[in-house]
Amino acid sequence: FGLSNKFDTEFPSVLTGKVAPEEFKTSISRVNACLRKNLPVSVKWLICGCLCCCCTLGCSLWPVVCLNKRTRRSIQKLLEWENNRLYHKLGLHWKLSKRKCETSNMMEYVILIEFLPKYPIFRPD
């Protein structure tokens, strides 16, 4: 379903001077913990759904779709919490985004880190 089972904890060089490497690793570790918690359940339901797919006309895959959606929502909520806690104050915004894989036509979810524009505080109202 395009959701990775783990995101890379390597500190990107673009964030040097913007955020501490420890904070970055802590945030990614929280996201990976969420994925690690939900992945085994999804895999079991996927195997079961594939085995019963012909008998149920594809309806046995609905639990996997729902679990995947729930995992995406929990990651999005976690990233929003991280944004409010730290990253918006640093001028960054993290979000989960869907993009095309580089090696194939499949879609995957990635974490995008965007730089927020700075607001001029001396501009009159």
Side-chain angles (χ1 to χ4, degrees):
F1 294 98
L3 198 57
S4 183
N5 61 347
K6 180 176 143 180
F7 287 103
D8 190 14
T9 58
E10 185 179 326
F11 187 71
S13 60
V14 195
L15 296 179
T16 303
K18 294 279 186 187
V19 65
E22 297 82 20
E23 286 291 339
F24 176 82
K25 287 185 182 181
T26 302
S27 298
I28 293 292
S29 296
R30 286 186 182 123
V31 172
N32 286 340
C34 180
L35 287 170
R36 195 172 31 253
K37 181 179 80 171
N38 293 320
L39 185 68
V41 176
S42 294
V43 170
K44 290 175 187 173
W45 276 104
L46 181 63
I47 291 170
C48 180
C50 287
L51 292 174
C52 303
C53 187
C54 295
C55 302
T56 62
L57 300 174
C59 292
S60 59
L61 293 175
W62 273 107
V64 180
V65 172
C66 294
L67 285 171
N68 187 44
K69 191 173 185 180
R70 188 179 81 184
T71 303
R72 277 195 326 260
R73 279 192 194 144
S74 64
I75 290 173
Q76 288 169 342
K77 283 183 182 179
L78 177 64
L79 291 177
E80 193 59 38
W81 179 79
E82 288 284 345
N83 283 330
N84 290 331
R85 180 185 70 87
L86 175 69
Y87 294 108
H88 281 175
K89 296 171 189 167
L90 299 174
L92 299 171
H93 179 77
W94 289 36
K95 70 177 184 177
L96 193 64
S97 179
K98 201 179 210 183
R99 75 167 186 188
K100 198 176 210 177
C101 287
E102 297 168 355
T103 57
S104 67
N105 276 343
M106 298 179 72
M107 299 297 277
E108 68 179 347
Y109 285 94
V110 295
I111 294 178
L112 287 181
I113 303 173
E114 300 173 335
F115 293 97
L116 296 175
K118 294 187 179 189
Y119 296 108
I121 58 173
F122 298 114
R123 191 176 75 190
D125 291 339

